[in-house]
Amino acid sequence: MTRWLEPEQQRAWRAYVRMQGELNAHLSRQMSADSEISMADFAVLVQLTDTPDERVRVLELARSLHWEKSRISHHLARMEKRGLVRREICRSDGRGSFVVLTELGRSAIEEAAPAHAETVRALVFDQLSDDEVDALREISEKVFTRLTTGECASVIARCDADDPMEVVSEEGGCTEA
């Protein structure tokens, strides 16, 4: 039996989908106008700056961004040509590689981040009360937890097991991170 959305749930869901699409499009246009990088570049660079030595396995990066193997491969190749990142072979297993932030990549994200933060603040947070910000965080964390645990996590694990991307077991994986 299908559990259809109630009218208020339907209105909330459609409002969310419209808002997400428009917000992503606006942030992308603004990033292009304010900097030399795209939102996809920014996403990769954020992941790299969030790691202690500014390097991450290609597979791990693809998974954290929810990108297909071909997308991550092509995008990293374009970023390499522009000098934003470089790839390094994992010497201990030979199958995998790392993506490493370059000085040019660091400069690019440091230049883009302030305008991006201001845009996010202006488009989202300047409109919300402190209670609404708390509610947004709580809702986001609750949905994220649902998507990454239990049955949902099992689906992700099954899909990852079928994924032909670089697979290295934790025990035999590269320890050069």
Side-chain angles (χ1 to χ4, degrees):
M1 171 78 88
T2 302
R3 297 183 328 137
W4 297 106
L5 299 179
E6 299 295 327
E8 281 304 306
Q9 292 171 328
Q10 182 78 263
R11 284 185 57 221
W13 179 248
R14 288 183 178 182
Y16 167 76
V17 169
R18 279 192 319 272
M19 180 272 306
Q20 180 189 32
E22 192 62 34
L23 180 61
N24 288 339
H26 190 90
L27 290 172
S28 184
R29 286 189 300 269
Q30 196 67 47
M31 181 66 67
S32 294
D34 292 341
S35 72
E36 302 279 322
I37 62 174
S38 68
M39 280 301 295
D41 295 336
F42 189 79
V44 169
L45 296 174
V46 164
Q47 292 293 317
L48 290 169
T49 59
D50 283 351
T51 62
D53 40 353
E54 299 181 334
R55 59 192 265 147
V56 67
R57 294 287 297 250
V58 173
L59 175 61
E60 188 180 326
L61 180 61
R63 285 183 178 154
S64 65
L65 294 172
H66 304 286
W67 289 5
E68 299 287 328
K69 181 180 180 181
S70 62
R71 180 177 183 192
I72 194 75
S73 179
H74 290 295
H75 196 81
L76 290 175
R78 289 190 297 272
M79 290 181 75
E80 271 186 293
K81 285 180 186 171
R82 293 171 32 227
L84 300 171
V85 298
R86 71 176 187 277
R87 291 190 220 204
E88 291 180 356
I89 299 300
C90 179
R91 290 181 294 275
S92 67
D93 76 15
R95 294 180 292 171
S97 62
F98 289 101
V99 181
V100 182
L101 184 68
T102 64
E103 285 300 317
L104 188 59
R106 169 150 295 291
S107 295
I109 194 166
E110 286 175 353
E111 181 182 313
H116 179 69
E118 182 56 41
T119 300
V120 170
R121 179 179 289 281
L123 294 176
V124 179
F125 294 104
D126 288 351
Q127 267 70 229
L128 302 178
S129 69
D130 290 345
D131 288 343
E132 290 170 323
V133 171
D134 288 343
L136 176 61
R137 180 192 46 76
E138 288 174 15
I139 291 165
S140 298
E141 289 173 352
K142 188 179 285 189
V143 173
F144 180 82
T145 298
R146 172 71 173 111
L147 292 170
T148 57
T149 60
E151 183 181 317
C152 291
S154 297
V155 170
I156 293 168
R158 284 194 310 273
C159 289
D160 284 350
D162 294 338
D163 192 341
M165 290 177 57
E166 148 196 22
V167 177
V168 178
S169 69
E170 291 296 319
E171 310 82 50
C174 185
T175 58
E176 301 172 29

